[in-house]
Amino acid sequence: MGAVSRSSIRLAALIALSAVAAACGDGTNPFASFATRCAKLPTTHFEVVAVPLTFERDDSQSIAALTLKGGSALHTHRTFGLTTAVFAQNTDIQLNVVDDRGHSRACGTPRVRIELSMQAVIVYVASELATQPCQHDVTLSHEMKHVEVFREALEIAARDLARDFPAPGEEPGRAATALRRLASQLPGAIHARS
């Protein structure tokens, strides 16, 4: 009878643990069906964020240096001001997965966050203009228009990419195609606006 009561205690403990796991409702119930556990996964979530654009000023470069930095030949051009930016993206993907090793199957839902940025934006004004306040201010004002164009292009890119992401239940591969298309089109869009 001592062995029976130990077995009864073990069975009762197992039943109690199962009841606790089922009551938690977090999808970890080992007795829930595969379909039930998959249904309890969080929904697919896509988020696109434009990192606020900031810029640095640099008045230390000469007209010759800025002309070369801008890709022009010194014998045909003179660059008094230049604004440079590097477009970047950072993607964070979290995948929530439920697997059924006994039947070699799995289900999952992604959580994707994409950050689009233009860093570092540098506004250059030629060092020779330090002694010419009027020319310096006009050049700086013009370069600041480029900063605003970059800022606008970044916001539009984030908005367009977010719109291209699939709604829950739609094909997620569409988002990767949209990101590649955006990366290829953004430099042309910025050039057209500036």
Side-chain angles (χ1 to χ4, degrees):
M1 186 155 171
V4 172
S5 61
R6 279 190 216 149
S7 295
S8 297
I9 292 172
R10 287 184 186 147
L11 181 58
L14 182 60
I15 290 171
L17 286 174
S18 297
V20 168
C24 290
D26 64 357
T28 59
N29 180 354
F31 300 108
S33 71
F34 176 72
T36 300
R37 290 185 293 138
C38 287
K40 288 185 178 182
L41 286 172
T43 60
T44 297
H45 178 77
F46 294 101
E47 180 182 17
V48 180
V49 176
V51 176
L53 187 142
T54 60
F55 66 92
E56 297 175 18
R57 289 274 317 278
D58 184 342
D59 291 2
S60 68
Q61 304 287 313
S62 68
I63 291 172
L66 293 180
T67 302
L68 294 174
K69 189 181 289 283
S72 298
L74 214 73
H75 66 278
T76 58
H77 291 87
R78 297 289 180 264
T79 302
F80 292 87
L82 181 68
T83 300
T84 61
V86 176
F87 178 75
Q89 65 88 20
N90 182 41
T91 304
D92 182 41
I93 301 171
Q94 176 185 357
L95 188 59
N96 300 299
V97 178
V98 170
D99 65 350
D100 181 2
R101 293 187 182 139
H103 292 94
S104 298
R105 59 185 177 169
C107 63
T109 57
R111 180 174 186 85
V112 179
R113 178 183 167 89
I114 297 178
E115 293 181 349
L116 301 179
S117 65
M118 285 192 192
Q119 306 298 337
V121 176
I122 303 175
V123 175
Y124 297 95
V125 175
S127 57
E128 292 89 338
L129 300 184
T131 60
Q132 303 172 37
C134 184
Q135 183 68 31
H136 180 277
D137 292 349
V138 168
T139 303
L140 178 59
S141 175
H142 174 82
E143 294 308 316
M144 293 308 295
K145 290 177 185 174
H146 290 291
V147 170
E148 288 310 310
V149 168
F150 290 169
R151 187 173 281 130
E152 180 183 320
L154 185 61
E155 292 296 327
I156 290 170
R159 184 191 67 218
D160 289 351
L161 183 59
R163 186 177 40 229
D164 284 344
F165 270 103
E170 288 184 338
E171 175 58 42
R174 196 175 86 193
T177 303
L179 185 57
R180 281 192 295 277
R181 185 180 70 245
L182 174 68
S184 69
Q185 292 174 347
L186 190 61
I190 291 171
H191 182 67
R193 286 187 176 90
S194 44

